[in-house]
Amino acid sequence: MSPYGFSFALADVRRRAIIRGLSRASAFFLESLSNHPSTYLEDLAKHLAPLVTQHPRLHQFSAERDFAIAARRWRDKVKSLRLALDRVPEDSRDDGFENWWARMDDVVGILEGREDAVKRVVAELGGDWKEVCAVWCVFVDTRIRRNELP
């Protein structure tokens, strides 16, 4: 356990909650970062929590067009978060226990729908092809149809 109350296992739980779309659990873990000694991480977590909880889902909209507009706006916010993450100085990306930046990079990569991040994180967390498919449909290709999955 790190001196800040975080561990690699907790970071994995955070990543797993995000890839599984568990927005309340993800927000809880992100709120726990409000006491982290890195002001960069605190600020990033503060901006990431609403992105995770407000991720648009097709079933929330009566028209697919409305969903597409909301998803595009949401992705623009994720791009802003990526820019903020990339601006963190190299020497501030480690809290003395672990490289928190790498974990946050994974999370933002998943939200961006980066194929490499999705596959790597799911594999690291012990997920199988079904979990990759689920994450793929939520973050990479949100308009995929069932017959397109193979």
Side-chain angles (χ1 to χ4, degrees):
M1 181 82 89
S2 81
Y4 309 114
F6 305 105
S7 67
F8 287 107
L10 184 57
D12 286 347
V13 169
R14 240 187 342 258
R15 292 188 308 169
R16 183 171 280 128
I18 288 171
I19 66 171
R20 290 187 176 165
L22 305 173
S23 58
R24 286 189 182 147
S26 302
F28 170 78
F29 288 120
L30 291 169
E31 287 172 18
S32 71
L33 296 174
S34 64
N35 295 323
H36 197 277
S38 171
T39 56
Y40 293 107
L41 182 56
E42 283 182 20
D43 189 49
L44 290 167
K46 192 183 318 177
H47 288 89
L48 180 59
L51 283 175
V52 170
T53 58
Q54 297 168 4
H55 180 250
R57 306 294 175 120
L58 183 58
H59 67 82
Q60 298 168 329
F61 298 88
S62 58
E64 193 170 338
R65 180 182 178 277
D66 296 336
F67 167 72
I69 292 168
R72 190 172 30 253
R73 288 182 181 150
W74 183 82
R75 288 217 184 269
D76 289 343
K77 292 176 185 177
V78 173
K79 286 178 187 176
S80 296
L81 184 63
R82 166 57 69 191
L83 293 172
L85 182 63
D86 289 344
R87 277 187 242 130
V88 174
E90 290 283 334
D91 59 343
S92 299
R93 295 178 177 188
D94 194 293
D95 62 9
F97 181 72
E98 70 175 332
N99 184 334
W100 61 263
W101 189 92
R103 302 287 185 168
M104 189 64 80
D105 181 53
D106 287 344
V107 169
V108 175
I110 291 167
L111 297 180
E112 289 173 317
R114 282 192 2 237
E115 299 172 21
D116 60 320
V118 168
K119 291 176 184 176
R120 184 177 37 75
V121 170
V122 170
E124 283 177 11
L125 297 175
D128 59 5
W129 65 270
K130 292 176 274 187
E131 191 149 32
V132 170
C133 285
V135 176
W136 194 273
C137 295
V138 172
F139 294 110
V140 179
D141 187 355
T142 57
R143 299 172 96 179
I144 196 166
R145 303 284 186 231
R146 182 173 289 175
N147 61 345
E148 297 171 328
L149 278 175

